[in-house]
Amino acid sequence: MIIGTAGHIDHGKTSLVRCLTGVDTDRLKEEKARGISIALGFAYWPQADGSVVGFIDVPGHEKFVHTMLAGAAGIDLLLLVVAADDGVMPQTHEHVAIARLLGISEAVVAITKADLVEPARIEAVESEIAALLAPGPFAGAPMLPVSTLTGEGLPELAGLLVSRARDAQTRQGDGAFRLAVDRCFTLQGAGTVVTGTVLSGSVAVGGSVIVSPGGLPARVRSIHAQNRPAERGLAGERCALNLAGPGVTKDAVQHGDMVLAPTLHAPTTRIDAEVSLLPGEKALTMWQPVRLHHAASEIGARIVLLGDEIAPGNDGLIQLVLDEPLAAAALDRFVLRDASASRTIGGGRFLDLRAPERRRRSPERLAQLAALSNSDPADALQTLLAVPPYHADLDGFVRDRGLGPGVAENLTNRLDLVRIGPLALLPAHWQALAQAATERLDAFHAEHPDLPGIGLARLRFAIAPRWPAPLFRQALVRFEDDGVLVPAGSWLRRPGHEARLLPEDEALWAKVSPLIAESERFRPPRVRDIGHLLGRPEEEIRRLLRLTGRRGDVHEVALDHFFLRDTLAEMVGISAELAGLHPAGFNAAQFRDRLDNGRKVAIQILEFFDRHGVTIRRGDLRRINRRRLDLFRPPPGLSDGGETSPVGRPDFKSGRGRQTGSGGFDSHSL
């Protein structure tokens, strides 16, 4: 357990800690000369049962409130110190307000210098303190008059603190390791040492950690926990970690950094939070500059209101736009001070470390924040998945809450979640997504019975909420496994659907297809020539090829010049090979020679590839666009079909100057 002092300057905090523990926490020469605390002081109080109670002694001067905040973030019990002769003073008020904002729930009050006043004065001070503590979690806190000179009340205070330490609830020991750095120094013979309070989890000697937000990897060489050598540092303990690793130096680790389990390293610069504004302060305004205090760190930030104006004494939602990256966890407490760092204005809890820059006030977003405000991970996740967009990054959720290994799997099993890559969904919403895909495909087949299916992108845009394309592709793989749909070339269709030509068209296609395949595939005859070879009208051949084009069997590379889809895929592969042989780019002559084709046809093919982004032309040279290599063949992950397939894309054009049309064919082709 960690006990932290609080109170006005010169009220006897350091003397009281010294009497209880025998340790003088004023270690600096300036502190001893001036008789006041400037930096955080630390003391350890061994108990008869072998445990150790840690003390953090904070400065009481108003100029060092930022230092007090760095220490207060790690304490479990507040030891409020009020001098009997002065009573409640300005920093008494501010320290109590800060303790409330940081979520500290327990307090013990020591009324010091009791030997200097009459009993009536003690009673008056107790009344002042009771009035100060009444509106909050410290109401009814025990008050003990003490004197560090005569020893009055010290045994009773010590007994009370020991009892509270024995009954204290432990911190989150099963979470991932986090330590807030409040000191970093070099120890001769050991190297770089960082100290701080372990906020969650544990770390063992030899363990790997990361100093965040800088991302500096390190190894723990040795540990002192509660001022004793230890093999493991646990949540709630004051620990000193001897770190080693490339780049690990005293200057590389800053006050306010976090030493983390490697899985937690994901600093942020934009956080959505709930905030409480202290009474007597001005209402928060849009883009107001503030100083943000979190754990041992202090950085600048701007406020974006996510709702109505937050009046003094009220709560509300804000977004914090940070001046620099911060290592934090969701539900961490924070304190806000004004831009000049002269007074505390409020504080609250972080809700979402991945706050959006747009649509941050939408009803859907506010519903998500309401879900994320739940302290129980399972309840928060279940509520989050019940609001749009009905899915969440489970690994990110576990990481941002600082939860330990195995929690993602436990949540999946407990809530019976459906996992699609990093995303998780409730079973009901997965079924709703599958039903929406089924209904859209059925409707499309009813509208276009002659088409083999719908393009991936078009289906994704038709289903709400819209998923990111890579994740939607993973969902389609799951749909395929579940029998919801079947990939068919570049399309997606329902099982059992088959686009068929009329019998006479099928018979004609059986005669046409060999003429543009095999040895003639790179130089197929045009529509007019096919008509002459078969003795059929030119218009009939053109109509047939455009019908088969709708099925994806052929593509019209130039006017009345159709190539098989497989041939186009083969020519894309040839282009990629040429690009590999010629890093600066290949020309039309090199492409023509590989196809053993005429220059005019080779240029028409390359211009077709240019229009669809398969090749990128610069002068007479062309480079390959590897993002479009799957344009005429399926990408990995689906048995067939793909996001960049031209069919179903609104920007697909099969000829120069042609109008675009849905389904990947010319608007005037039928």
Side-chain angles (χ1 to χ4, degrees), residues 240-439:
L241 306 182
N242 180 200
L243 301 182
V248 177
T249 64
K250 175 181 178 295
D251 296 330
V253 183
Q254 305 296 320
H255 175 95
D257 283 350
M258 283 274 187
V259 179
L260 306 169
T263 55
L264 295 190
H265 174 59
T268 180
T269 57
R270 191 179 293 270
I271 304 174
D272 282 349
E274 58 183 15
V275 67
S276 298
L277 190 61
L278 293 178
E281 291 297 324
K282 296 180 181 178
L284 296 178
T285 59
M286 189 69 75
W287 213 241
Q288 176 179 340
V290 293
R291 301 300 297 176
L292 170 67
H293 293 264
H294 164 259
S297 64
E298 176 191 357
I299 60 177
R302 295 272 182 171
I303 288 178
V304 177
L305 299 177
L306 300 183
D308 297 333
E309 179 182 275
I310 303 174
N314 290 347
D315 302 336
L317 295 175
I318 61 171
Q319 185 172 107
L320 293 164
V321 182
L322 312 182
D323 293 347
E324 55 191 86
L326 177 69
L331 304 185
D332 278 356
R333 310 290 303 197
F334 66 91
V335 169
L336 298 179
R337 306 195 83 213
D338 68 330
S340 64
S342 61
R343 70 183 193 279
T344 302
I345 61 177
R349 291 192 307 168
F350 296 146
L351 298 182
D352 190 354
L353 306 184
R354 315 296 152 194
E357 188 174 357
R358 297 181 178 180
R359 295 186 57 80
R360 49 195 169 195
R361 303 181 189 88
S362 65
E364 293 81 4
R365 180 57 186 165
L366 297 180
Q368 294 168 20
L369 293 179
L372 291 170
S373 66
N374 197 317
S375 300
D376 181 81
D379 292 344
L381 181 60
Q382 187 170 32
T383 308
L384 179 64
L385 296 178
V387 300
Y390 306 112
H391 59 72
D393 180 351
L394 180 57
D395 295 334
F397 176 86
V398 170
R399 177 201 62 216
D400 287 348
R401 290 211 165 202
L403 303 176
V407 174
E409 183 177 356
N410 292 338
L411 289 172
T412 299
N413 296 333
R414 179 176 173 182
L415 301 178
D416 192 25
L417 301 179
V418 177
R419 296 293 303 273
I420 303 296
L423 297 188
L425 299 87
L426 294 172
H429 293 296
W430 172 251
Q431 294 299 327
L433 184 68
Q435 181 66 24
T438 299
E439 292 175 354

Side-chain angles (χ1 to χ4, degrees), residues 479-496:
F479 285 151
E480 182 182 1
D481 294 340
D482 294 345
V484 173
L485 52 79
V486 177
S490 300
W491 299 271
L492 303 168
R493 63 174 175 82
R494 290 280 289 147

